């Protein structure tokens, strides 16, 4: 053990003694001493991890503030909704672990942020289903802990996994799965287990690991109503034995007003991006070169331009399509308001969409069914008229749909591909002037087409959009895949 580790270990022992003293006396002044010691402890841990040189964890801790909170029932967490982000912990719980286990916990929480798990949790469970949150926690822990355990095997002897951490092996046994691949992403594990909520049984404490034995005497929190200012955010104190269940990943992003989960997820992702970039900027070339690939990959992923998808664009287009004008006797004519014999106009709230389907054989019937399910979900709250044009080398059918169940069992065609017949059909009919055209195709057809006289045009291409043969599609081309 290095001198630096000796200093950290000595300070940790002092804090452990303070925790024992507080449990026996409930002297509130001791909490202030623990609070001050933890700030120094966090600084020493930061310097130690930076000195390791081949780990990015120290640079993350340099970018954070540290806060003790004796009211929370979780070991630790990173609060992304503050600047700088705050590493928050309840020392009465954290200090039940050994030094190597505490270093593991620090790295564990950082890796959750590196892999953007706070935002992913919000995206995966917008309804806030507690069972899904719990399953997500298992999946995220298995992914992070497998990687940390692999680092330990490859020489990171400064940390040690607390007994009972969730790993891919735990996932396999708990959910009775025949085969679970180690060292996979949270998504892999989440997909494996999200239909097994009934197998959870008694949840494991604290997500990272059970509280170490020897703290059973703390099964009830001390009854204190006057915690020193700045020491805790609530009047209640949570000791180790009263720690909650597997909820250490209840990440939140504080906002002034309630907002949809999707917006909270975006805010979290942006905070993660900012933190990753700040950490990356601290490193020199040598330090950056020694970072594990997952960190550089996370930085690149965070800064990658957002991938547009056709459903998101369609939602925006639906909101911008101009309403049709219809004559009405209930309003005066705007140009000649004195002429009571002339009709005025009002906006029709009917949304016009024309969906052209390339039926040359590339788009399967199953894909077409899924496509229309998405379209109807997007326009569900609007009054709409949806026209379908099936076309391969020539137009095969034109019809209107009111719901997905009206969709024919199969499309007509399966010949070659030509886009011009659809464009000419639309351009000859004034009805489509204020419509949105969505053309689903594999992309292979003419190099040039007439300009569609519709309000907006969106091309949805199977595979890569570079497959679209049209040099000027007069609209946006997006891949069918998300």
């Amino acid at each position: 053990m290095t001198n630096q580790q000796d200093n950290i270990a000595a300070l940790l022992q002092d804090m452990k003694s303070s925790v024992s003293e507080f449990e026996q006396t409930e002297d509130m002044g001791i909490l202030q001493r623990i609070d001050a010691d933890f700030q120094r402890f966090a600084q020493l841990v930061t310097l130690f991890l930076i000195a390791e040189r081949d780990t990015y964890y120290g640079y993350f801790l340099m970018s954070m503030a540290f806060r003790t909170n004796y009211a929370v029932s979780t070991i630790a967490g990173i609060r992304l909704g503050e600047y700088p982000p705050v590493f928050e912990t309840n020392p009465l719980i954290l200090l039940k672990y050994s030094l190597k286990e505490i270093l593991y916990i620090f790295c564990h929480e950082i890796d959750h942020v590196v892999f953007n798990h706070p935002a992913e949790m919000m995206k995966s469970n917008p309804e806030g289903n507690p069972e899904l949150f719990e399953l997500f926690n298992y999946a995220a822990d298995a992914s992070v802990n497998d990687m940390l355990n692999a680092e330990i095997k490859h020489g990171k002897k400064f940390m040690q996994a607390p007994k009972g951490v969730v790993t891919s092996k735990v996932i396999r046994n708990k959910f009775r799965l025949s085969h679970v691949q180690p060292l996979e992403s949270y998504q892999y594990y989440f997909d494996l287990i999200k239909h097994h909520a009934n197998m959870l049984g008694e949840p494991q404490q604290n997500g990272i690991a059970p509280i170490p034995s020897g703290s059973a005497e703390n099964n009830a929190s001390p009854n204190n109503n006057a915690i020193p200012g700045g020491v805790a955010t609530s009047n209640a104190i949570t000791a180790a034995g009263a720690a909650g269940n597997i909820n250490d990943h209840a990440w939140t992003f504080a906002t002034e007003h309630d907002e949809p989960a999707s917006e909270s997820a975006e805010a979290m992702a942006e905070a993660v991006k900012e933190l990753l970039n700040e950490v990356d900027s601290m490193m020199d070339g040598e330090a950056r070169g020694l970072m594990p690939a997952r960190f550089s990959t996370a930085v690149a992923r965070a800064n990658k331009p957002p991938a547009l998808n056709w459903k998101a664009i369609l939602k925006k287009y639906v909101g911008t399509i101009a309403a049709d004008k219809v004559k009405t006797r209930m309003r005066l004519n705007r140009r000649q308001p004195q002429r009571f014999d002339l009709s005025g106009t009002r906006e029709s709230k009917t949304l016009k969409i024309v969906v052209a389907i390339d039926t040359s054989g590339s788009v399967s019937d199953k894909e077409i069914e899924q496509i229309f399910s998405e379209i109807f979900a997007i326009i569900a709250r609007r009054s709409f008229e949806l026209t379908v044009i099936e076309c391969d080398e020539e137009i095969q059918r034109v019809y209107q749909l009111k719901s997905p169940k009206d969709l024919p069992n199969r499309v007509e065609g399966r010949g070659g591909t030509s886009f011009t017949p659809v464009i000419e059909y639309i351009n000859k009919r004034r009805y489509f002037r204020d419509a949105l055209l969505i053309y689903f195709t594999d992309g292979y057809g003419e190099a040039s087409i007439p300009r569609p006289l519709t309000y907006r045009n969106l091309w949805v291409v199977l595979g890569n959009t570079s497959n679209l043969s049209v040099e000027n599609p007069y609209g946006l081309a997006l891949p069918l895949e998300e």
Side-chain angles (χ1 to χ4, degrees):
M1 182 178 285
T2 66
N3 289 336
Q4 196 170 25
Q5 282 180 300
D6 286 335
N7 294 336
I8 298 172
L11 179 57
L12 176 62
Q13 191 55 49
D14 288 344
M15 290 192 294
K16 284 177 175 285
S17 298
S18 296
V19 169
S20 297
E21 185 181 351
F22 172 75
E23 290 171 346
Q24 294 170 12
T25 65
E26 299 183 8
D27 180 353
M28 304 306 293
I30 296 174
L31 295 185
Q32 291 182 319
R33 186 202 312 162
I34 295 173
D35 189 45
D37 284 346
F38 178 75
Q39 292 295 326
R40 193 155 59 94
F41 176 78
Q43 292 173 5
L44 290 175
V45 167
T46 300
L47 293 174
F48 167 71
L49 291 175
I50 290 175
E52 286 292 298
R53 295 183 64 224
D54 59 346
T55 175
Y56 55 75
Y57 301 112
Y59 291 98
F60 266 89
L61 296 179
M62 277 186 67
S63 304
M64 297 180 195
F66 297 92
R67 182 168 65 216
T68 56
N69 186 345
Y70 298 89
V72 297
S73 60
T74 55
I75 303 172
I78 295 173
R79 306 302 175 197
L80 294 166
E82 303 179 42
Y83 186 83
V86 176
F87 188 99
E88 185 178 76
T89 184
N90 184 340
L92 300 180
I93 303 173
L94 179 73
L95 296 176
K96 295 298 179 180
Y97 294 87
S98 70
L99 175 58
K100 287 189 175 184
E101 290 172 334
I102 290 173
L103 292 173
Y104 187 101
I105 291 167
F106 272 64
C107 298
H108 171 101
E109 293 300 332
I110 289 169
D111 268 353
H112 277 307
V113 172
V114 170
F115 290 108
N116 201 28
H117 288 165
E120 294 300 321
M121 184 179 72
M122 298 296 293
K123 292 178 184 177
S124 68
N125 188 13
E127 305 299 326
N129 183 328
E131 288 184 339
L132 270 184
F133 277 142
E134 193 167 353
L135 291 171
F136 183 97
N137 289 338
Y138 272 96
D141 276 332
S143 178
V144 164
N145 292 335
D146 269 14
M147 293 181 189
L148 287 176
N149 293 343
E151 286 194 3
I152 293 171
K153 288 182 180 179
H154 286 87
K156 300 289 197 312
K157 301 302 182 183
F158 65 83
M159 60 180 171
Q160 175 183 321
K163 184 179 178 180
V165 295
V166 175
T167 63
S168 56
K169 186 175 181 180
V170 170
I171 293 282
R172 185 190 68 196
N173 295 335
K174 187 171 189 65
F175 296 95
R176 303 170 195 168
L177 302 170
S178 58
H179 178 73
V180 176
Q181 190 75 18
L183 295 168
E184 291 288 348
S185 69
Y186 91 90
Q187 189 68 60
Y188 169 81
Y189 301 116
F190 192 53
D191 288 341
L192 283 178
I193 68 176
K194 62 185 174 184
H195 303 300
H196 295 76
N198 59 330
M199 293 187 183
L200 281 171
E202 288 298 321
Q204 184 171 344
Q205 277 191 314
N206 290 311
I208 294 176
I211 300 299
S213 59
S215 58
E217 67 272 19
N218 300 310
N219 285 335
S221 301
N223 184 18
N224 294 292
N225 296 316
I227 297 176
V231 176
T233 59
S234 168
N235 287 335
I237 297 178
T238 303
N245 291 324
I246 190 167
N247 58 1
D248 62 313
H249 302 144
W251 293 291
T252 58
F253 194 95
T255 53
E256 293 183 2
H257 306 287
D258 291 338
E259 61 183 14
S262 59
E263 294 182 18
S264 294
E266 288 179 8
M268 283 185 178
E270 189 61 31
V272 169
K273 174 183 175 181
E274 187 174 348
L275 179 58
L276 286 172
N277 286 331
E278 183 170 342
V279 170
D280 187 59
S281 68
M282 289 182 180
M283 303 177 189
D284 57 22
E286 181 185 8
R288 195 176 291 111
L290 292 170
M291 294 303 105
R294 68 173 180 272
F295 173 73
S296 55
T297 300
V299 174
R301 182 176 60 242
N303 290 289
K304 183 180 179 181
L308 300 176
N309 65 74
W310 70 272
K311 287 182 282 187
I313 295 297
L314 178 55
K315 285 181 181 178
K316 290 189 176 183
Y317 279 10
V318 164
T320 61
I321 292 178
D324 194 10
K325 303 289 186 182
V326 296
K327 291 184 177 181
T328 175
R329 290 283 186 180
M330 301 300 293
R331 295 188 181 182
L332 297 174
N333 188 292
R334 292 182 62 187
R335 294 186 178 180
Q336 300 187 57
Q338 304 303 321
R339 292 284 304 275
F340 297 101
D341 57 316
L342 297 179
S343 299
T345 60
R346 65 174 175 82
E347 288 187 344
S348 168
K349 299 302 181 183
T350 301
L351 175 68
K352 294 180 185 176
I353 296 180
V354 53
V355 178
I357 304 174
D358 173 3
T359 60
S360 61
S362 305
V363 185
S364 70
D365 294 330
K366 184 67 174 177
E367 285 173 321
I368 291 172
E369 181 181 343
Q370 292 173 344
I371 286 166
F372 276 103
S373 293
E374 296 290 352
I375 291 174
F376 278 109
I378 290 169
I379 63 177
R381 297 185 179 181
R382 295 285 300 271
S383 174
F384 64 88
E385 293 176 359
L386 194 154
T387 304
V388 181
I389 303 177
E390 298 178 4
C391 181
D392 49 13
E393 294 174 298
E394 58 185 13
I395 290 178
Q396 298 292 335
R397 284 192 297 192
V398 179
Y399 52 92
Q400 288 199 327
L401 286 182
K402 295 188 180 299
S403 71
K405 65 183 179 184
D406 298 328
L407 189 68
N409 292 330
R410 58 184 301 106
V411 296
E412 298 290 336
R414 306 307 189 189
T417 301
S418 181
F419 307 125
T420 300
V422 170
I423 308 304
E424 290 180 341
Y425 179 90
I426 290 172
N427 287 352
K428 289 177 182 177
R429 290 160 176 80
R430 190 171 186 82
Y431 170 83
F432 295 112
R433 291 291 189 272
D434 53 358
L436 166 63
L437 168 62
I438 313 172
Y439 211 127
F440 289 93
T441 176
D442 63 357
Y444 301 105
E446 309 101 307
S448 63
I449 57 172
R451 183 185 186 94
L453 300 180
T454 44
Y455 179 73
R456 282 184 180 273
N457 312 302
L458 177 63
W459 295 76
V460 183
V461 185
L462 273 74
N464 199 307
T465 53
S466 63
N467 294 341
L468 186 60
S469 60
V470 180
E471 294 175 0
N472 185 0
Y474 302 102
L476 192 60
L478 296 171
L480 179 60
E481 291 79 12
E482 291 262 351

